[in-house]
């Protein structure tokens, strides 16, 4: 029984990650045109030489088709897993097989992305690498802030937050008739 619960939890986690990846991919497609020029702005801010830019472009030209194909396989594997999970009849063997396919496809995406980033990292000087780390941290911070804004919406009154401990809420705001869930 515990093994089945663990499997169910694991499948749920995989599905959640897949849905986040799908939403992220949609957000990337909806970006305005000026953001498509970001690589050139990044190159300029890093102070890359013409040779470095050419080498990075060569790396991208070599790895991007591999990355697109790996991401397609990951999307297909996620779709097949979803179909297996929600099929009319439960087939745990098929679900496990599909789950392994998702894991293998995900591993391949990570492998290609890592090799690509490592190849680009080798092109950078120590100073450029330090600048890149700083810019990357700033970009990640802005992305986290945007995600928090999208999740939370407009600022809320602290006393109306549902996850706040009951002892911290004013007494008059406690609900009198709570459902027993």
């Amino acid at each position: 029984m515990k093994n089945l619960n663990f499997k169910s939890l694991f499948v749920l986690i995989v599905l959640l990650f897949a849905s986040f990846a799908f939403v992220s991919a949609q957000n990337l497609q909806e970006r305005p045109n000026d953001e498509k020029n970001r690589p050139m702005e990044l190159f300029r801010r890093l102070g890359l030489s013409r040779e470095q830019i050419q080498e990075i472009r060569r790396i991208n030209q070599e790895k991007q088709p591999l990355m697109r194909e790996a991401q397609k396989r990951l999307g297909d594997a996620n779709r097949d897993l979803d179909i297996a999970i929600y099929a009319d009849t439960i087939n745990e063997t098929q679900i496990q097989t599909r789950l392994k396919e998702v894991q293998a496809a995900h591993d391949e995406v990570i492998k290609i992305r890592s090799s690509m980033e490592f190849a680009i990292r080798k092109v950078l000087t120590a100073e450029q690498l330090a600048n890149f780390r700083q810019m990357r941290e700033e970009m990640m911070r802005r992305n986290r802030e945007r995600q928090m804004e999208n999740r939370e919406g407009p600022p809320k009154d602290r006393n109306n937050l549902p996850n706040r401990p009951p002892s911290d809420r004013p007494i008059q705001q406690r609900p009198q008739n709570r459902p027993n869930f």
Side-chain angles (χ1 to χ4, degrees):
M1 185 67 174
K2 287 183 181 181
N3 194 19
L4 181 59
N5 287 337
F6 177 74
K7 289 178 184 178
S8 300
L9 179 62
F10 186 74
V11 168
L12 179 63
I13 290 169
V14 168
L15 287 174
L16 286 173
F17 281 123
S19 63
F20 287 130
F22 178 74
V23 169
S24 296
Q26 282 184 326
N27 289 341
L28 286 175
Q29 292 174 352
E30 296 170 359
R31 288 185 179 168
N33 284 338
D34 60 325
E35 288 193 31
K36 291 179 182 176
N37 293 326
R38 263 201 314 192
M40 287 308 293
E41 176 62 20
L42 178 67
F43 293 167
R44 187 192 62 73
R45 287 180 61 194
L46 286 175
L48 297 179
S49 70
R50 182 168 290 149
E51 293 79 20
Q52 287 174 308
I53 293 171
Q54 288 173 346
E55 181 63 16
I56 289 172
R57 284 185 176 155
R58 185 195 63 74
I59 292 166
N60 280 328
Q61 287 173 347
E62 177 186 309
K63 300 286 185 175
Q64 281 301 325
L66 299 172
M67 179 60 84
R68 277 193 296 275
E69 184 57 36
Q71 288 174 329
K72 182 185 179 313
R73 280 192 303 273
L74 178 58
D76 292 346
N78 274 313
R79 186 195 68 237
D80 292 345
L81 174 61
D82 191 50
I83 290 169
I85 289 170
Y86 294 105
D88 290 338
T89 57
I90 296 174
N91 184 336
E92 288 188 41
T93 304
Q94 185 181 32
I95 291 171
Q96 290 304 314
T97 300
R98 298 293 185 226
L99 181 57
K100 287 178 184 176
E101 290 170 359
V102 168
Q103 291 168 331
H106 188 254
D107 289 349
E108 186 64 20
V109 168
I110 291 171
K111 181 179 172 183
I112 294 169
R113 179 175 292 131
S114 297
S115 69
M116 189 170 161
E117 288 183 17
F118 184 60
I120 291 171
R121 185 253 181 265
K122 287 189 222 177
V123 172
L124 303 178
T125 66
E127 183 180 335
Q128 290 167 338
L129 180 60
N131 289 340
F132 178 77
R133 285 179 186 145
Q134 191 174 24
M135 290 183 332
R136 185 175 184 220
E137 183 60 38
E138 176 62 24
M139 187 174 51
M140 290 170 66
R141 184 189 60 74
R142 283 195 310 260
N143 285 341
R144 283 191 302 268
E145 288 173 359
R146 265 188 249 135
Q147 287 175 350
M148 292 302 290
E149 288 172 6
N150 289 341
R151 282 188 205 139
E152 295 174 359
K156 298 176 184 171
D157 178 13
R158 180 162 158 64
N159 289 328
N160 292 328
L161 293 176
N163 294 332
R164 194 161 168 219
S167 61
D168 210 11
R169 290 184 187 147
I171 293 174
Q172 66 270 21
Q173 289 193 2
R174 285 189 182 156
Q176 297 300 318
N177 297 324
R178 289 185 147 172
N180 294 326
F181 290 85

